[in-house]
Amino acid sequence: MSRDRQLHLGAFMRPASIHTGAWRYPGAYPDANFNFAHLKRFAQTLERGRFDAFFMADHLAVLNMPIEALKRSHTVTSFEPFTLLSALAGATEHIGLVATASTTFDAPYHIARRFASLDHISGGRAGWNIVTTSNPDAALNFGLDEHMEHGERYDRAREFYDVVTGLWDSWADDAFIRDVDSGLYFDPAKLHVLNHKGPHLSVRGPLNIARPPQGWPVIVQAGASESGRQLAAETAEMVFAAGSNLAAGQRFYADVKGRMEAIGRDRDHLKILPGAFVVVGDTVEEARAKRAKLDSLVHYESAIASLSIALGVDASGFDPDGLLPPIPETNASKSGQQRVLELAEREGLTVRQLAQRLGGYAGLAFVGTPATIADEMEEWLRTEGSDGFNVMFPYLPGGLDDFVDRVVPELQRRGLFRKEYEGTTLRENLGLPRPANRFF
Amino acid sequence: MSRDRQLHLGAFMRPASIHTGAWRYPGAYPDANFNFAHLKRFAQTLERGRFDAFFMADHLAVLNMPIEALKRSHTVTSFEPFTLLSALAGATEHIGLVATASTTFDAPYHIARRFASLDHISGGRAGWNIVTTSNPDAALNFGLDEHMEHGERYDRAREFYDVVTGLWDSWADDAFIRDVDSGLYFDPAKLHVLNHKGPHLSVRGPLNIARPPQGWPVIVQAGASESGRQLAAETAEMVFAAGSNLAAGQRFYADVKGRMEAIGRDRDHLKILPGAFVVVGDTVEEARAKRAKLDSLVHYESAIASLSIALGVDASGFDPDGLLPPIPETNASKSGQQRVLELAEREGLTVRQLAQRLGGYAGLAFVGTPATIADEMEEWLRTEGSDGFNVMFPYLPGGLDDFVDRVVPELQRRGLFRKEYEGTTLRENLGLPRPANRFF
């Protein structure tokens, strides 16, 4: 099997998992949002499991939820990504460090500089998850009463990317001579002043840090909209996709890789890694029971609010222990509503179970034994559903340890995943080329 | 001797020293700007020396210098402070970590969050050096053609400080209950939404991270202007002062402490630590020779530009090996010009030596043996010239090792400096109170 058809694995992390019930799971660390030692342990375990990257989710606001749901959610707070990943850089040697940073609420000079610095500190392990930040609550934290509309956000994001990558190219790779005898620290011919003036941004440069070891940190994106897919095809090197099932994953994969080819990019230069929630058991039944246990820890008040939103009707009067009653047509997204109805039917869930699933996590999930999970991952890889996954652990540390100690060896045994890191940088481990400097 | 009259010591750091000739000094690390391992070694040595804080200098642009000088300066690039200090947090256990962050070119939500995160990661060791960024080149990197004028910068800084500290107080210290049984993660009565709307800033809040372990990271400032001193007296807990000599230091000390008392603040709740360049030798003569050697490594092209600026005349035609010729009255700052003339006279410096001093470092310096350096530091402390110093090392690692291995033990022997850290946080080591939460 060629190296290209091996899986790449990112870990999509919140300190106590993305699942809102996770902090209550037996053995969990409810204080992980404030306890760096736990995060260090997670990163070191992932590195032992040869993960490509530790991918830090982020928000620029306390999430907008009714207080009854909010007060039960550990996702209300978190470490800030740059400080966390920089601290983790010192505690690890190989794993990539992907930080989320917004093109709507930050300045390109700061972003370029911070990622370059993280790349130097980590020896070439930084990645930038470019987000345009769709949460309107974030705007209120940054002095904007109205959130920038979608198209304008994406126009700005594209220009922001050009400026940041241009700033990273301020210095040739060999600009810094540091000739002690002559006293020449750098070669002025190898310094470029960007002088960018565009519709959204005006940035002179040069950046006050040397070109990153990777040339550019790895560019990551997650947008699924038309503009998001196009931006990804033009610029991204890793995509966090939200595939709900294999067929949808294959359509997304073909679409984005096709867009790349249409503009002349090599389709292997972008790795599509859908988010996948993985629950490991000795048997499929045990894995399902673990998931049911986890879902049951989502408080009913939060859960029922999620169900009401998904259905577009107030579900608070439904019998929690009965099956879902017939739902009238509503203004809710029809496809979203349909997915919920199908899920309830397929798994025979009660109203309570359905609500708790939605309040916890209801996207793509692999729930089974190491062998069945490896089967599913292999199928996605072989049928061009993805180039790997951004794994979401149901609870920490147990769910992460299970994956590293049980699923990773199975993937390695099948030749689907590395046994040792291929290179020293995130870019090398992902099999991505080092970008040329556009000015030198 | 009461603990209050002990020295506090910060290390004011650039990766290869603030002296522009330092990277060429024998044994120096010319690549320190890009080599985290060196910075880690420096921080660990400082911690062995029981320093209060590692204080990272910063700029938001490549410094504005003629290219002939610029190309010889290692100060053109550096790590970004948050990423660097977060990485150092993991490599140290006690030393404070002070990052410079601008109120003119950043958003209070980002700043509040990043410092809170660094404070959590480091277990309460963060400090914020509030700067308003006077460098007009920085404005051009942030989309502003004209730099904000001084008064407006300070008005915004004051409001920015109120917003950041208000965001830090978003959550009561005991807001996060994390009651696994009931599923309550936090107590909604202990969450405050800031809803700030002021002349410069509009920020809703709450901050999406728990209150920092120190309540607030330590507030540091360096402004010496009228507005800067007043802002320091109102808000700062450590001041990086630019005292050129003891008499000036005493005037500054009395002025700022007086301003504190005038508004009802305890004068011990702000530590005034002037920057001091310290060169250690076995004899005073050897220390002076080290300094002369270091100054001689400032390239003459850079040096003479500094002298011309200081004098307000083109000095490039002067005989480098002669004494300074008579200087006509110019538009240059008279006090600045006078200081240069006095320096040349006092030390009998040639034009070359004078220029190299100015091109390297010409502020407050203690150049001598561990005993003479301790004598001077003790005199400043006893006569209310300062509460300690922000030490600048002439070259690295040698100058830093000399200080820690030779000056620190002498200060400890005299009872002027701690032998062990007093507490676990920067605030505790500086003897500062933990701020109450204004909302709870």
Side-chain angles (χ1 to χ4, degrees):
Chain A
M1 176 177 298
S2 80
R3 179 170 168 233
D4 279 350
R5 299 315 295 158
Q6 285 209 329
L7 290 161
H8 292 281
L9 296 178
F12 188 71
M13 301 292 291
R14 298 278 300 179
S17 152
I18 56 115
H19 193 286
T20 52
W23 68 277
R24 300 176 68 193
Y25 200 85
Y29 303 146
D31 69 339
N33 283 339
F34 319 105
N35 190 325
F36 175 67
H38 296 324
L39 276 290
K40 185 168 156 177
R41 177 196 192 290
F42 302 155
Q44 290 174 337
T45 305
L46 290 166
E47 185 163 275
R48 178 162 59 75
R50 307 293 185 259
F51 266 65
D52 291 77
F54 182 108
F55 186 147
M56 189 64 189
D58 196 42
H59 301 286
L60 291 174
V62 168
L63 292 182
N64 184 19
M65 291 188 241
I67 191 73
E68 286 305 311
L70 193 68
K71 73 185 184 187
R72 305 187 179 283
S73 172
H74 65 83
T75 63
V76 72
T77 61
S78 178
F79 292 105
E80 182 274 340
F82 285 102
T83 44
L84 177 65
L85 295 179
S86 301
L88 291 178
T92 54
E93 289 176 41
H94 300 284
I95 195 166
L97 302 161
V98 179
T100 297
S102 170
T103 56
T104 303
F105 300 115
D106 215 324
Y109 201 84
H110 284 314
I111 294 295
R113 201 175 165 222
R114 224 166 265 139
F115 277 109
S117 193
L118 178 60
D119 209 46
H120 280 286
I121 287 169
S122 64
R125 296 189 281 139
W128 174 23
N129 178 34
I130 303 183
V131 299
T132 66
T133 312
S134 60
N135 177 355
D137 287 320
L140 298 173
N141 289 332
F142 291 88
L144 301 174
D145 285 335
E146 297 202 12
H147 196 55
M148 206 181 287
E149 62 88 13
H150 185 269
E152 191 185 348
R153 284 211 318 277
Y154 271 88
D155 284 349
R156 182 180 153 101
R158 189 64 176 80
E159 186 180 342
F160 199 110
Y161 163 87
D162 288 337
V163 172
V164 168
T165 52
L167 287 170
W168 284 334
D169 287 346
S170 292
W171 304 87
D173 287 313
D174 58 353
F176 293 93
I177 300 164
R178 302 192 289 264
D179 182 344
V180 167
D181 290 338
S182 72
L184 196 66
Y185 194 74
F186 70 85
D187 177 352
K190 297 189 170 173
L191 164 61
H192 179 85
V193 180
L194 187 65
N195 274 324
H196 174 88
K197 283 190 193 297
H200 297 277
L201 300 163
S202 166
V203 180
R204 191 180 68 174
L207 197 63
N208 57 356
I209 185 163
R211 194 160 192 254
Q214 296 185 100
W216 304 351
V218 172
I219 303 294
V220 183
Q221 279 173 254
S225 68
E226 175 68 24
S227 324
R229 289 172 184 220
Q230 189 57 29
L231 185 64
E234 292 174 14
T235 65
E237 302 177 296
M238 183 206 287
V239 162
F240 179 101
S244 51
N245 59 55
L246 179 56
Q250 288 165 334
R251 283 194 301 275
F252 181 84
Y253 190 95
D255 178 61
V256 173
K257 299 260 173 166
R259 288 174 193 252
M260 290 178 72
E261 287 174 339
I263 58 167
R265 277 188 80 196
D266 183 329
R267 57 193 274 131
D268 288 337
H269 292 173
L270 187 166
K271 306 300 174 187
I272 295 181
L273 310 182
F277 187 81
V278 180
V279 186
V280 187
D282 290 333
T283 60
V284 173
E285 292 64 36
E286 193 205 31
R288 287 187 183 148
K290 284 183 177 181
R291 186 185 206 183
K293 164 80 178 166
L294 177 62
D295 282 350
S296 78
L297 297 172
V298 177
H299 201 277
Y300 193 66
E301 286 179 66
S302 322
I304 203 69
S306 301
L307 179 60
S308 298
I309 290 165
L311 293 176
V313 300
D314 179 2
S316 62
F318 295 172
D319 173 11
D321 299 311
L323 295 178
L324 202 61
I327 304 297
E329 278 210 12
T330 70
N331 288 328
S333 145
K334 282 199 185 35
S335 62
Q337 197 191 65
Q338 196 54 40
R339 272 200 298 275
V340 174
L341 299 178
E342 283 169 12
L343 168 64
E345 171 104 10
R346 188 172 63 246
E347 300 195 20
L349 302 175
T350 64
V351 166
R352 185 194 308 277
Q353 288 167 332
L354 182 63
Q356 287 175 325
R357 175 69 60 80
L358 294 170
Y361 172 82
L364 177 64
F366 301 142
V367 181
T369 66
T372 68
I373 292 165
D375 287 346
E376 292 192 89
M377 289 190 161
E378 186 165 2
E379 184 180 13
W380 276 70
L381 181 71
R382 295 210 188 280
T383 63
E384 300 210 327
S386 78
D387 299 307
F389 297 93
N390 275 300
V391 181
M392 296 181 275
F393 306 104
Y395 43 84
L396 296 162
L400 190 160
D401 292 344
D402 284 345
F403 193 94
V404 166
D405 294 333
R406 305 183 62 190
V407 180
V408 166
E410 177 64 21
L411 296 172
Q412 289 170 332
R413 198 186 58 72
R414 298 183 185 199
L416 291 170
F417 191 58
R418 69 169 69 82
K419 291 185 173 167
E420 296 300 336
Y421 286 100
E422 295 86 356
T424 61
T425 67
L426 173 57
R427 195 168 275 289
E428 287 166 1
N429 289 325
L430 285 170
L432 298 170
R434 187 174 189 277
N437 190 314
R438 76 181 73 169
F439 304 121
F440 300 100
Chain B
M1 175 176 298
S2 80
R3 176 170 172 233
D4 280 349
R5 298 315 294 157
Q6 284 209 329
L7 290 162
H8 292 282
L9 296 178
F12 188 72
M13 300 293 290
R14 298 277 299 180
S17 152
I18 55 117
H19 193 288
T20 53
W23 67 278
R24 300 177 68 193
Y25 200 85
Y29 302 146
D31 68 339
N33 284 339
F34 318 105
N35 191 325
F36 176 67
H38 297 324
L39 276 290
K40 185 169 159 178
R41 177 195 193 289
F42 303 155
Q44 290 175 336
T45 305
L46 290 165
E47 185 162 276
R48 179 162 58 78
R50 306 292 184 260
F51 267 64
D52 291 76
F54 182 108
F55 186 147
M56 189 64 190
D58 196 40
H59 301 285
L60 291 173
V62 168
L63 292 182
N64 183 19
M65 290 189 242
I67 190 72
E68 286 305 310
L70 193 68
K71 72 185 183 185
R72 304 187 179 284
S73 172
H74 65 84
T75 62
V76 73
T77 60
S78 180
F79 293 105
E80 183 275 339
F82 285 101
T83 44
L84 177 65
L85 295 179
S86 301
L88 290 177
T92 56
E93 289 176 39
H94 300 283
I95 196 166
L97 301 162
V98 178
T100 298
S102 171
T103 56
T104 303
F105 299 115
D106 215 325
Y109 201 84
H110 284 313
I111 295 294
R113 204 176 163 220
R114 222 166 266 139
F115 276 109
S117 193
L118 178 61
D119 210 46
H120 280 286
I121 287 169
S122 65
R125 296 189 280 138
W128 173 24
N129 178 34
I130 303 183
V131 299
T132 66
T133 311
S134 59
N135 177 356
D137 286 319
L140 298 174
N141 289 332
F142 291 88
L144 301 174
D145 285 335
E146 297 202 13
H147 196 55
M148 208 181 286
E149 63 89 10
H150 184 270
E152 192 185 349
R153 284 210 318 276
Y154 271 87
D155 284 350
R156 181 180 154 101
R158 188 65 174 79
E159 186 180 343
F160 199 108
Y161 162 88
D162 289 338
V163 173
V164 168
T165 53
L167 287 171
W168 285 334
D169 287 346
S170 292
W171 304 88
D173 287 314
D174 58 354
F176 293 92
I177 300 163
R178 301 192 288 266
D179 183 343
V180 167
D181 290 338
S182 72
L184 196 64
Y185 194 74
F186 70 86
D187 177 352
K190 297 190 172 173
L191 162 62
H192 179 86
V193 180
L194 188 64
N195 273 324
H196 174 88
K197 285 191 192 295
H200 298 276
L201 299 163
S202 165
V203 180
R204 192 180 67 172
L207 196 62
N208 57 356
I209 185 164
R211 195 162 192 253
Q214 295 185 99
W216 304 351
V218 172
I219 303 294
V220 183
Q221 278 173 254
S225 67
E226 175 69 22
S227 324
R229 289 173 184 220
Q230 190 58 30
L231 185 64
E234 291 174 15
T235 66
E237 302 179 296
M238 182 207 287
V239 162
F240 179 101
S244 52
N245 59 55
L246 180 55
Q250 288 166 333
R251 284 194 299 274
F252 181 85
Y253 191 95
D255 177 61
V256 172
K257 299 260 173 165
R259 289 173 192 252
M260 290 179 73
E261 287 175 338
I263 58 167
R265 275 189 81 196
D266 184 328
R267 54 192 275 131
D268 289 336
H269 292 174
L270 187 165
K271 306 300 174 186
I272 294 181
L273 310 183
F277 187 80
V278 180
V279 187
V280 187
D282 289 334
T283 62
V284 173
E285 292 65 36
E286 193 205 30
R288 287 188 181 148
K290 285 183 177 180
R291 185 185 206 182
K293 163 80 178 167
L294 177 62
D295 283 351
S296 78
L297 297 172
V298 178
H299 201 277
Y300 193 65
E301 285 179 66
S302 323
I304 203 68
S306 301
L307 180 59
S308 299
I309 290 165
L311 292 175
V313 300
D314 179 2
S316 62
F318 296 173
D319 172 10
D321 298 310
L323 295 178
L324 202 63
I327 304 297
E329 278 209 12
T330 70
N331 287 329
S333 144
K334 281 200 183 38
S335 62
Q337 195 190 67
Q338 196 55 41
R339 272 201 300 275
V340 174
L341 299 177
E342 283 169 12
L343 168 63
E345 170 105 11
R346 189 170 65 245
E347 299 196 21
L349 302 177
T350 64
V351 166
R352 183 193 309 276
Q353 289 167 332
L354 182 63
Q356 287 176 325
R357 176 68 61 81
L358 294 170
Y361 173 82
L364 177 64
F366 301 142
V367 181
T369 66
T372 69
I373 292 163
D375 286 346
E376 292 193 90
M377 288 190 161
E378 185 165 4
E379 186 180 13
W380 277 70
L381 181 72
R382 294 208 189 283
T383 63
E384 300 209 327
S386 77
D387 298 307
F389 297 93
N390 275 300
V391 180
M392 297 181 274
F393 305 104
Y395 43 85
L396 296 162
L400 190 161
D401 291 345
D402 285 344
F403 192 95
V404 166
D405 293 333
R406 305 184 60 191
V407 179
V408 166
E410 177 64 21
L411 296 172
Q412 288 170 331
R413 197 186 57 73
R414 298 182 185 200
L416 291 170
F417 191 58
R418 69 170 67 85
K419 290 184 175 168
E420 296 300 336
Y421 286 100
E422 294 88 356
T424 62
T425 67
L426 173 57
R427 197 167 273 289
E428 287 167 0
N429 290 325
L430 286 169
L432 299 169
R434 188 175 190 276
N437 189 315
R438 76 183 71 169
F439 305 120
F440 301 99

